[in-house]
Amino acid sequence: MASSAASGMRKAPSLEWRWVSTEEDDEEDRGGRGGDAAVGAVGRGGSFESEDEEDAEDEDEREGKKRLIRTVPSVDWFDVEGNEVSVGQQVEDTEEFDFGRTMFLALQTLAVVFGDIGIGPLYTFDVMFNKYPIQGEEDVLGALSLVLYTLILMPLVKYVLVVLWANDDGEGGIFALYSLICRNAKVSLIPNQVHSEKRMSSFRLKLPTPELERSIKVKEKLESSLLLKKLLLGLVLFGTSMFISNGVITPAMSVLSAVSGLKVGIRNTSQDVVVMISVALLVILFSVQRYATSKVGFALGPSLLVWFCCLGGIGIYNLSLFGPTAFMAFNPLYIIYYFGRNPFQAWLSLGGCLLCATGSEAIFSNLCHFPVRYVQYMFMLLVLPCLVLAYLGQAAFLIANPKSSEQVFFSSIPIGVFWPVFLVANLAALIASRTMTVAIFQCLKQSIALGCFPRLKIVHTSRKFMAKIYIPVVNWLLLVSCLGFIVLFRSIYDVGNAYELGVMIMATVYVTIIMLLIWESNIVKVLSFVITFLFLELIFFSSALSSVGDGGWALLIFASVLFMIMFIWNYGSKLKYDSEVKQKLSKDLMRKLGPNLGTIRAPGLGLVCSDIVKGVPAIFGHFLTSLPAIHSIIVFVCIRNVPVPVVPQSERFLFQRVCSRGYHMFRCIARYGYKDKKQEHHSVFERLLIEGLEKFIQREAVELSLQSEDDVDSDEEPPTPVKIITAPNGSLYSLDVPLLADYTPSTEVIPEAICSTPQHDPVLDYAQNLELELAFIKQSKQSGAVYLIDSPIIKARKDSWFFKKLMINYFFAFLRNNCRRAIMLMSIPHSNMMQVRMTSYV
């Protein structure tokens, strides 16, 4: 039935498709959940969908016979806010062809995306033949054949033709894959996503397809298995730690290999001189990294273009000089001969062979603002041909000079152009190092936004491009690590490339899930993809791990430390969130306190900042018992990092009224994507929040005025008559809120002629209350806003196991005390901020 329904529908802009049980479907047929009921829900005052309702819905989906039906979505105020901008605003670029813009993007693509992979010819054959000494022509052809087919399979087929299409609205990287899966299945271990987030324009909802049933089964399996959720998170943390570790190897190997060309140009150059020059270049590179991401970056595209032309030109020169014998390596049989002559040494050389594909993950991570087609065309028309020619030329040189297996690239350069090419090679090595560093910045920004890494200072270096960022702490950490690696090992031969392989394997796993869950690809294509690339990557990985004993152990320790930091942060954040959800205040308690909340309501706007998206945070009870008065308007603010790249400004804030109108309490969710800039000034944040609150109240009044008198009833307290409050200075305050401590508000009801129309005309009642409430908000705004911030102390329970106490009480506490809070990024003055600490045992 699902297949027939799917094939019959191709466009449903205002409706939803979902799986329901037979009983639920029967209720809908009887009108129990029809469109009128859904609209009535809006009129009854917008509450969150309760957790019990969500759990019940999930349980219904797992039991009984299910079928795909078309339903009117359940609507609350968050749904109304979320639907303000329609889903699917992504439109194709229909601009006319602009040659200047095309060339500019092409050069920028070279500088940002392909810098890392373009530096491979400097060291690939050097490392391979360090593990496998050349004994004849067949050895060179076998190694070349391995390199050619690795280039074709890994960067071209896997990344350029497949993985690039798994981008998250133009954003690439391992965390972009994870966020894409989180949006389409509830696999996040911190379940603080609200349903209205799925209605943002950044969320692309999939319409039914003939293979939707298999996709639904995969989704249900992922959502129902806690083990799979933990496994997915563990894999993304592991891959990220490996990727960052590769960011230490790439600058060191690239610069060290480029500077080593001095040994060819100046025969008596010692390794100490090479190391000192490499250290100096790396210090300069990381010192100007902040500026290179914005200003210097525009000059790097032409430099990379010259470099790729040098690679292709030198390759053609060597092929014309030493003959076309190297073209025989396109025959894959030479790979078999290569392994047959010396299997163990051939297996060891696989780690060096993979160096030709170094930067494949950086191609995806640095996708950023570049269209996928630009990246694909640039790789297939320029990058790949130049790399192939470079490796063919080096192989032709080695066949003629089998004893020159060190510094192969520089030895094969014509003498007349050696020094210009040497300078260009060093510049390309620096660009490659920058490319990897920028990819790490993007990866860490995504991980911070998704709650998998402690919050760090992120500097946006461009006003036009949000992807151009700089993270000072990470920049200097990478510099120290690179310098330590160079000084400690002084050679490129001791460390393989196991670390980028780690993230390659993770990318294969996640893209496979995306193919099943989102793309709904044919099962044959999915199996072909996962079996082919997982098999190849595991073989390469096993070879690269052989270098752990030689020097890879240092970076393995580095990756393990990063993994533990991310794991402890995510683990502690989950326990903290679960504790806050369990301790939140009930609505029954709020009703017992009454609109006065058991205290005095003073003029002003109180922004209670918390991490939970439902219910009243427990810290609010501490404010009520600790403060002599509370503000006349209370807004529970939750800053949410949602798994989308960008949240449009018109969809930034979602509002909901907490309790009845007389309480003047609202909930606001401020949503930011992982590419959004969060360093807003507090005054800008307050202005946007108040504007959004006024729009919400106006929309609420319009919706309520359209309902019948019966539809106004709800489970909340009924609307109370508007009351007058006379202050000592003669000012009148309305809406049942005491604003001063030295007087008691009267209970005199405003006469109908003054404050309202007859009871049978609710439209004018709502209009009158709207004007009063908007005036009340304006007055509260003039009194100023105060941020009431929750700064909890998280500790493990006394009966917890030792390692949990160690992680929570010491490591997680250290990370929390030394990282930035989301609300602190707004530069809030101390006079407008009040923090309350409450110890929570988890």
Side-chain angles (χ1 to χ4, degrees), residues 166 168 174-188 193 203 218-219 222-223 228 232 506-507 509-515 517-518 643:
D168 190 10
I174 187 69
F175 265 100
L177 298 176
Y178 181 66
S179 70
L180 197 59
I181 295 174
C182 288
R183 278 220 312 278
N184 290 271
K186 299 176 183 178
V187 297
S188 176
Q193 177 176 304
F203 277 81
V218 173
K219 178 181 178 181
L222 291 174
E223 293 178 346
L228 289 179
L232 285 176
M506 301 306 109
V509 174
Y510 281 107
V511 172
T512 301
I513 297 175
I514 290 174
M515 293 173 75
L517 178 66
I518 304 173

Side-chain angles (χ1 to χ4, degrees), residues 81-257:
E81 294 283 309
N83 277 316
E84 180 179 348
V85 178
S86 60
V87 177
Q89 289 184 341
Q90 303 290 338
V91 294
E92 297 183 358
D93 186 8
T94 58
E95 296 181 1
E96 296 182 359
F97 177 78
D98 187 340
F99 180 78
R101 177 176 179 270
T102 301
M103 292 303 299
F104 176 79
L105 280 176
L107 293 177
Q108 286 291 294
T109 303
L110 275 180
V112 176
V113 179
F114 298 116
D116 195 6
I117 197 171
I119 210 70
L122 286 180
Y123 44 68
T124 298
F125 279 137
D126 292 15
V127 177
M128 285 189 71
F129 292 121
N130 179 261
K131 302 288 186 180
Y132 192 128
I134 299 176
Q135 298 177 359
E137 179 180 310
E138 291 78 8
D139 294 332
V140 177
L141 292 176
L144 176 60
S145 186
L146 266 177
V147 169
L148 293 177
Y149 283 101
T150 300
L151 272 177
I152 293 172
L153 289 175
M154 304 299 286
L156 176 61
V157 177
K158 179 185 174 181
Y159 277 93
V160 174
L161 298 182
V162 179
V163 177
L164 285 185
W165 291 112
N167 67 85
D168 190 10
D169 288 343
E171 190 76 4
I174 187 69
F175 265 100
L177 298 176
Y178 181 66
S179 70
L180 197 59
I181 295 174
C182 288
R183 278 220 312 278
N184 290 271
K186 299 176 183 178
V187 297
S188 176
L189 291 179
I190 302 181
N192 56 347
Q193 177 176 304
V194 294
H195 283 271
S196 54
E197 287 176 358
K198 296 179 181 179
R199 296 182 172 89
M200 288 190 298
S201 61
S202 299
F203 277 81
R204 298 179 180 180
L205 302 182
K206 292 288 291 183
L207 292 178
T209 65
E211 296 183 344
L212 181 61
E213 185 174 356
R214 188 186 69 217
S215 174
I216 293 294
K217 291 180 179 179
V218 173
K219 178 181 178 181
E220 291 179 347
K221 184 64 176 178
L222 291 174
E223 293 178 346
S224 62
S225 175
L226 181 61
L227 177 62
L228 289 179
K229 293 180 181 180
K230 293 181 177 180
L231 182 61
L232 285 176
L233 178 62
L235 290 177
V236 75
L237 298 183
F238 172 76
T240 302
S241 63
M242 288 291 191
F243 185 61
I244 298 174
S245 298
N246 191 63
V248 176
I249 298 176
T250 298
M253 289 190 66
S254 301
V255 176
L256 200 60
S257 300

Side-chain angles (χ1 to χ4, degrees), residues 592-715:
K592 290 179 182 179
L593 292 176
N596 299 345
L597 299 176
T599 184
I600 301 300
R601 303 292 291 269
L605 179 65
L607 304 179
V608 182
C609 303
S610 176
D611 291 334
I612 63 175
V613 297
K614 296 182 180 181
V616 179
I619 196 66
F620 185 62
H622 286 259
F623 285 125
L624 293 178
T625 56
S626 303
L627 301 178
I630 201 70
H631 298 83
S632 55
I633 293 182
I634 297 295
V635 181
F636 299 104
V637 179
C638 174
I639 296 181
R640 289 273 289 117
N641 294 307
V642 294
V644 298
V646 176
V647 177
Q649 187 64 57
S650 58
E651 303 178 54
R652 176 79 67 215
F653 297 102
L654 295 183
F655 290 92
Q656 182 201 32
R657 191 181 294 277
V658 178
C659 298
S660 61
R661 183 183 298 269
Y663 284 77
H664 307 300
M665 296 168 59
F666 304 89
R667 178 172 293 106
C668 170
I669 295 182
R671 304 177 297 178
Y672 293 87
Y674 52 76
K675 287 174 59 180
D676 283 326
K677 183 177 180 180
K678 303 179 182 64
Q679 285 92 339
E680 292 176 322
H681 193 270
H682 72 95
S683 60
V684 177
F685 180 82
E686 293 166 12
R687 176 178 59 80
L688 295 175
L689 186 145
I690 293 175
E691 290 176 358
L693 179 60
E694 292 174 345
K695 288 175 58 178
F696 161 74
I697 293 174
Q698 293 170 352
R699 185 183 300 108
E700 180 190 45
V702 172
E703 293 290 340
L704 291 175
S705 66
L706 298 177
Q707 307 305 316
S708 63
E709 185 175 354
D710 294 335
D711 290 332
V712 178
D713 297 333
S714 69
D715 57 350

Side-chain angles (χ1 to χ4, degrees), residues 568-595:
I568 291 173
W569 180 260
N570 185 269
Y571 179 67
S573 299
K574 181 181 183 302
L575 293 180
K576 173 179 174 293
Y577 177 80
D578 292 341
S579 175
E580 291 178 347
V581 170
K582 291 179 182 178
Q583 297 176 6
K584 63 184 181 181
L585 304 180
S586 65
K587 287 188 177 181
D588 292 336
L589 175 61
M590 304 304 295
R591 292 191 182 98
K592 290 179 182 179
L593 292 176

Side-chain angles (χ1 to χ4, degrees), residues 312-469:
I314 295 172
I316 294 173
Y317 169 81
N318 287 314
L319 286 171
S320 62
L321 182 63
F322 300 108
T325 308
F327 284 99
M328 297 172 61
F330 282 102
N331 184 354
L333 290 177
Y334 282 97
I335 298 177
I336 300 176
Y337 300 153
Y338 183 73
F339 278 88
R341 291 168 63 87
N342 198 329
F344 181 71
Q345 289 184 343
W347 172 74
L348 289 178
S349 68
L350 287 177
C353 175
L354 190 70
L355 292 175
C356 71
T358 298
S360 298
E361 179 62 28
I363 293 176
F364 182 47
S365 298
N366 286 332
L367 187 61
C368 298
H369 294 284
F370 301 110
V372 173
R373 291 295 186 189
Y374 274 91
V375 178
Q376 291 178 327
Y377 291 153
M378 286 299 297
F379 185 82
M380 290 186 289
L381 299 179
L382 176 64
V383 176
L384 183 61
C386 290
L387 289 176
V388 170
L389 287 173
Y391 288 116
L392 287 171
Q394 291 185 32
F397 172 82
L398 285 173
I399 291 174
N401 304 276
K403 295 183 179 180
S404 302
S405 59
E406 293 185 1
Q407 303 297 331
V408 179
F409 174 76
F410 290 104
S411 299
S412 64
I413 298 176
I415 298 177
V417 296
F418 177 84
W419 290 111
V421 174
F422 173 79
L423 294 176
V424 174
N426 279 268
L427 180 59
L430 294 175
I431 295 174
S433 304
R434 171 190 172 272
T435 299
M436 197 66 204
T437 306
V438 171
I440 291 175
F441 290 163
Q442 293 294 332
C443 182
L444 282 179
K445 183 182 179 183
Q446 297 171 9
S447 63
I448 291 171
L450 296 178
C452 296
F453 200 89
R455 285 179 289 269
L456 303 173
K457 180 181 179 180
I458 299 177
V459 179
H460 292 262
T461 61
S462 175
R463 296 182 179 180
K464 297 181 179 179
F465 303 104
M466 296 300 296
K468 294 188 176 182
I469 60 173

